[in-house]
Amino acid sequence: MHELAIAESIIGILKEQTSSALGGSGGGKINSVKLKIGEMAGIVPSALEFSFQIASKGTLAEGAALYIENVPLTGKCDDCSEVFRIKDYCFECVSCGGSNFKLIAGRELLIDEIDVG
Ligand SMILES: [Zn+2]
């Protein structure tokens, strides 16, 4: 269950990013965290939520609400510059049918917003 390792690394990042906002010695807490997770990031959102609850115990993120936004898998065609959603793992351009394209979204795991209070 690699979601636990991911949850722990998220909490590590949260600690770094909020240490100045919280003045170091822990005067506040994290209320909520918003994540963007690509549909091909290999993460099960419900497993990540569960792992986050476990990993956040005793940290400044304990009890924080976790909001997860799913990012669709998106490609950009090298031949015709079409930007398109990749559905059902059909890896060809919807406009010209070519298979030369780059994945521009859908594999990320980003911390989008941290609400500290
Ligand atoms: Zn194309």
Side-chain angles (χ1 to χ4, degrees):
M1 188 160 138
H2 72 150
E3 278 82 1
L4 187 56
I6 294 165
E8 282 168 352
S9 70
I10 290 170
I11 286 163
I13 295 166
L14 293 176
K15 280 179 187 164
E16 277 173 30
Q17 297 207 345
T18 59
S19 59
S20 57
L22 294 176
S25 58
K29 264 179 79 71
I30 295 174
N31 295 323
S32 67
V33 181
K34 201 167 130 191
L35 302 176
K36 286 190 172 182
I37 298 179
E39 67 180 348
M40 246 183 68
I43 295 165
V44 180
S46 59
L48 183 60
E49 282 172 17
F50 181 71
S51 299
F52 185 82
Q53 284 176 12
I54 295 170
S56 64
K57 281 218 164 67
T59 75
L60 77 179
E62 184 171 359
L66 198 62
Y67 300 108
I68 295 175
E69 182 183 330
N70 291 302
V71 180
L73 193 59
T74 307
K76 183 172 190 224
C77 183
D78 283 339
D79 297 326
C80 71
S81 298
E82 178 82 6
V83 173
F84 56 98
R85 166 102 194 256
I86 297 164
K87 285 180 189 158
D88 303 323
Y89 299 96
C90 180
F91 292 105
E92 59 182 40
C93 175
V94 293
S95 178
C96 71
S99 55
N100 298 314
F101 64 86
K102 292 181 186 69
L103 291 174
I104 57 170
R107 301 176 75 178
E108 60 271 78
L109 169 60
L110 299 171
I111 297 173
D112 193 33
E113 269 178 43
I114 306 169
D115 179 24
V116 177

